[in-house]
Amino acid sequence: DTGVSQNPRHKITKRGQNVTFRCDPISEHNRLYWYRQTLGQGPEFLTYFQNEAQLEKSRLLSDRFSAERPKGSFSTLEIQRTEQGDSAMYLCASSFPLAISYEQYFGPGTRLTVT
Amino acid sequence: AQKVTQAQTEISVVEKEDVTLDCVYETRDTTYYLFWYKQPPSGELVFLIRRNSFDEQNEISGRYSWNFQKSTSSFNFTITASQVVDSAVYFCALSELGSWGKLQFGAGTQVVVTP
């Protein structure tokens, strides 16, 4: 099995620009999560998909953030009008469908730097 | 409110010493799951262990062991005979029933193992 992949690995953008990240989960996993991690902190939950349905969004996910998972496969996370406070590592994770007890497998992350 | 507390920010040990990482959690659920993840310098979170709230039996897996005590809401993790490759940030995480499996992470403990 290939693991969770994320692209790009690094993104540098100017304040005010839009950015989009992609996550490809492990193929048989239908649960997909996005987290954000800032320096020196643990990851914070952003949003969750079960197949193509977005079932939960954190209050951290402002109106400038949108996530999709068309056809229940890969997912994209878009940030519009980026701000310097958006600089962080954005992590994607997937897990096996049956129960919340299953561990999540994380991708390598996309590091966003907003200048 | 912070639901997972890792009070130790950094622990430094010499190779072959044991290192114990503390984790205290807070939840009102009777069914929940606790995890430990490792984040090496490469950045990718790696699943280590999982424990559910109904099983307080402590176990050993290779050089890893854990001590789960519901009475004190603690889920401590020990690395026996540490190696330089164990140098990483270690995160404790909580998943509550009804939360779609989302993980709530502590702030992490940096472990530095020197030869």
Side-chain angles (χ1 to χ4, degrees), chain A residues 55-83:
Chain A
L55 297 184
E56 187 172 352
K57 292 171 59 174
S58 164
R59 285 173 290 180
L60 293 174
L61 221 60
S62 74
D63 291 344
R64 297 184 297 105
F65 289 71
S66 63
E68 294 182 341
R69 193 182 181 195
K71 303 179 183 178
S73 55
F74 71 92
S75 176
T76 59
L77 177 67
E78 181 183 14
I79 309 174
Q80 296 182 329
R81 305 181 303 282
T82 52
E83 301 173 356

Side-chain angles (χ1 to χ4, degrees), chain B residues 22-55:
Chain B
D22 298 334
C23 174
V24 175
Y25 62 91
E26 177 187 333
T27 181
R28 294 182 180 179
D29 286 3
T30 55
T31 302
Y32 52 90
Y33 302 86
L34 296 163
F35 302 80
W36 278 96
Y37 280 83
K38 173 183 179 180
Q39 189 172 43
S42 60
E44 193 160 337
L45 280 158
V46 177
F47 165 76
L48 296 177
I49 58 174
R50 172 186 67 240
R51 175 60 65 198
N52 71 59
S53 55
F54 295 110
D55 186 358

Side-chain angles (χ1 to χ4, degrees), chain A residues 33 35 37 56 101 103-104, chain B residues 37 50 100-103:
Chain A
Y33 304 81
Y35 294 84
Q37 185 178 21
E56 187 172 352
S101 62
E103 60 271 21
Q104 294 177 22
Chain B
Y37 280 83
R50 172 186 67 240
W100 301 113
K102 71 181 180 186
L103 295 171

